[in-house]
Each structure stands twice: as C-alpha cells, then as structure tokens.
Amino acid sequence: MFVHALEIEESSCIGCSRCMKICPTEAIRIRHGVASIQEHRCIDCGKCHEACPVNAIYVKEDDFHDIHAYPHSVALIPAVFLGQFPDEISVTRIYSALKDLGFRHVFEVETTAGIFADAKNQYAREHPDIRPLISSFCPAIVRLIQIRYPSLVENIIPVKTPLDLSAMYIIEEMKNRGVPREEIGVFYVTPCAAKIAAVKAPVGEKRSIIDGVINMDSLYNRVYKKIKEQGKNYVLKQGQTIRLSSDAILSTLTNGERRLCLAKRSYAIDGIQNVMDFLDKLENDEVEGVEFLELRACDQGCAGALLSYDNRFLCGERMYGRARKAAERERNGEVPRDREVDRYRDYLLDNAFVDAVQPRSMLVLDKDRTKAFQKMERINKLKNFLPQIDCGLCGAPTCESFAGDVVINRVGLSGCIFYQRWLERKNDITRQECLAAMNAVWGSDRMGVPPDKE
Ligand code: SF4
Ligand code: SF4
C-alpha cells in the first residue's frame, strides 16, 4: 500500500516544473500545465515542497483537536522541536505550553535512542555476514533504497526507530500505571513528510501504534503563541521536563547514531544527493570495508527537516548547547531520565525487530514477467533513440523516464519535440498535431502575445 504525505494543490500549481527537476526519484510529471506525483516513485523526501515557488505542494496532517479525544493524550516530540525556539525560551517552558495546549503528557522521541543503538549493535553481532549495515532511522532513505537500490535492501537493519520504541515504552508504562490503552492517544510531532508516511504505512509492520501525527511547524506556531499569551506572569511548573542524556539529545543530528554504534568503520552521510552518490558507488562495489552507514535525506539530519521553522544550523547549535548542559549534569552525578527506560529494556529489545525490508518497484511494467521483460527492452531501445538531453519539454524529467511513460501508454511518443521534428521532416505530423501535443503537457495558454506582435 502506498501512503504519501505530500499533495499538490492543482489550482495553485503554475506548472513551472521546478519540482519535476529536483525530485530525486523522477516521480513528478507535468500534464496540462499542472504537476502530479507518481505514487510508486515518491519517497516523501519533501524536496519538491522546498522547491515550489507558490507553495502549491502541502504536507497533510491529522486534526490537532483529535488530542482531546483521549484522556491521556501524549505529545511525542523530537528533540529538534525544542531546537526551534530562541534561547530565552526554556525547555521547561515549552513542555508547560504543550500541556496548556491540551497534552496530558510530553515525551521526547529520543528517550529510547540508547535502546535503538543497542538493537542495531545486537543485529550487527548476530549478522556478521551483512556489511555495511544501513540504519533504518530515516524513512525517506529506506524508501529510496527500496525503489532505487533493491540489491541493498538486505543491508537495512530491520529494527523499529526511536519513534516506535518510545511509543511502545510510553504505552507500556501507562498501562502498568492502570491506564487502559483506549484512553492513551500518542501523537507524534513530525519534523518531516517521510515520517508521516512511515506512520501511516510502516515498512515491515502491518500498522503503527501511533494514534496521530501533528506537523512540527504548525505546532511551533501554537506553542509560541501560547508562550506569548502567558507573558511575563507565567509561573514555571517544575518537574515537568524529561532531562535526556547528551547522547540522546544529539542522536537525530548527523553523526548522532554513528557516535553510539560499535562498528570500527562507519560513515554518516546527509543530504539526499550525497546519499545517492554514495549508494551508487556502494552498488557498484566501489566501497570496501565500511561496517555501518547512517544515512539521512536532510542536510544536518533532522535539524534540516522539511517542517522546521528555524534555520538548521541555529537549531543544531541550540541542541549542542542543550547537550553540553546535559553532559555537565551527568558529570555532576545526575542520572538522565532516559535511563529510566532501562526498566523496559528487555521488553523493548524483544519487540524491536520487524520483517525484513522488501524492494519496491518504481515502474510496474506488466504482471506477466515475459511481457515486462519485453517492455523493458522497448524502454532501452526508445531511450537510445531519444536525444538524451533531459530537456523536460515532454513533461517528464529525463528521456529515460519519458520512454518508460510511453511504453506503459501514459503518453504518446509525439510528446517529444525532437520526435515531432523528425515526423515533420517526413510529413507525418501536422502543425496542429504538434501544437496539441505541446498543449497536452504545458496547457493551452502558456504564452502571451510576442512583444513585437503587440
Ligand atoms: S516528495 Fe521527494 S520523491 Fe516525492 S515527489 Fe517530492 S521530491 Fe519527488
Ligand atoms: S514547483 Fe511543481 S507544484 Fe510548484 S508550481 Fe512549479 S510545477 Fe507546480
């Protein structure tokens, strides 16, 4: 099942094709002057959303008011959420504002970062024959490998991420305190679109135990407004903040996982293009001796995620500041609250693993294998016939993706203007037919009157 978090508002789209050019999986096409996303190819990385000049691409989210349907609503926030706020707003104050907004409990996702690291290290010990192992942390990367690097899916460690482990911990802890499951609503505050898709359609599991997803940028606005309303008269409520260890706080930034892994040689790579460049080399056997890979679709890890409100470098610096204070407290003998999770360590590790990740096809050519093979051959022939300049005028990002669209009858070959010229020379196409083919991609009112004809 494909579930995606991004949608294009057709009435706002101006057909500029920026999204089509930037999409790393060639998932976007332009038809009739409007962009659309091919669901088999999309990995919810959000690059198209960042590139759109008119905000025509939006990220879906659940209704915030759903939190009031549960007597024990839980805000499960990522540490980068706290990194969005200016230094003068304390973590305690943010926790308190979240409770004033209606959440009964607040936990940080990174509460189980240590358990996540232990599970990955355990898997590495039990599977010495699979190297390099690839972290399952970033769902956009997991989907990218599923569709573009199917030979590498077995390298992905099939373990639940801190998001699910923390939700399991919270639910178990509350049930042990006598709260029935139906009264507990766990709402994940997401920094990116890929994690929404991962909650709605998890890889390796039937369904997620998360009850709802709230986008980080919209919650930031609510919390910030609440803090401003409270003003200077606000009374800080002590004992609300869960003080994490410095390792946990930093675990979602680039290098955060690598610091906790036991592999002798490991790399942390961020940014989707950097990751793809590296995976190309890995797939071609040009990389040797690496044991573990932390791969993140966003620059600076989750600090650079799509739904961040603030600059990723500022967010990262605030998180390092918070981690330094946490390390200081640890040196002074304070035990971080995330160590309390150790009481559930066996339960979490016993339930941490999911089914092996499977490849996913980007292009469904045919259910019949022989016919699919014939179609693949046709794509290769067409690709060699086309000019190979990836001009995008056909409404597809590359000549290869256009050839695929032609073979599965999504578009006609005459959508390529080079082919049109070829047909014109043979008198096999009229000007009107050329114009109709161009209009089918870019719409009929694309150009105004030339300046010298006004
Ligand atoms: S979210 Fe990423 S993969 Fe999906 S259409 Fe946008 S750029 Fe392409
Ligand atoms: S970036 Fe894509 S969605 Fe946004 S206006 Fe351009 S074509 Fe439309």
Side-chain angles (χ1 to χ4, degrees), residues 427-447:
N427 285 327
D428 277 353
I429 194 168
T430 65
R431 285 196 162 190
Q432 284 309 317
E433 285 167 330
C434 287
L435 191 62
M438 190 58 98
N439 288 348
V441 180
W442 297 104
S444 53
D445 53 358
R446 198 76 201 177
M447 286 177 72

Side-chain angles (χ1 to χ4, degrees), residues 8 13-19 30 35 51-54 56-57:
I8 296 178
C13 174
I14 54 171
C16 69
S17 78
R18 290 185 201 189
C19 54
I30 309 287
C52 181
V54 293
I57 303 176

Side-chain angles (χ1 to χ4, degrees), residues 414-429:
S414 60
C416 168
I417 60 161
F418 288 85
Y419 182 57
Q420 286 173 20
R421 295 293 89 79
W422 188 84
L423 291 173
E424 266 184 332
R425 279 202 303 274
K426 297 169 61 131
N427 285 327
D428 277 353
I429 194 168

Side-chain angles (χ1 to χ4, degrees), residues 379-400:
I379 290 174
N380 286 331
K381 277 189 189 154
L382 260 184
K383 199 174 86 180
N384 293 331
F385 166 73
L386 291 167
Q388 305 285 336
I389 60 168
D390 299 339
C391 65
L393 285 173
C394 57
T398 59
C399 292
E400 183 171 355

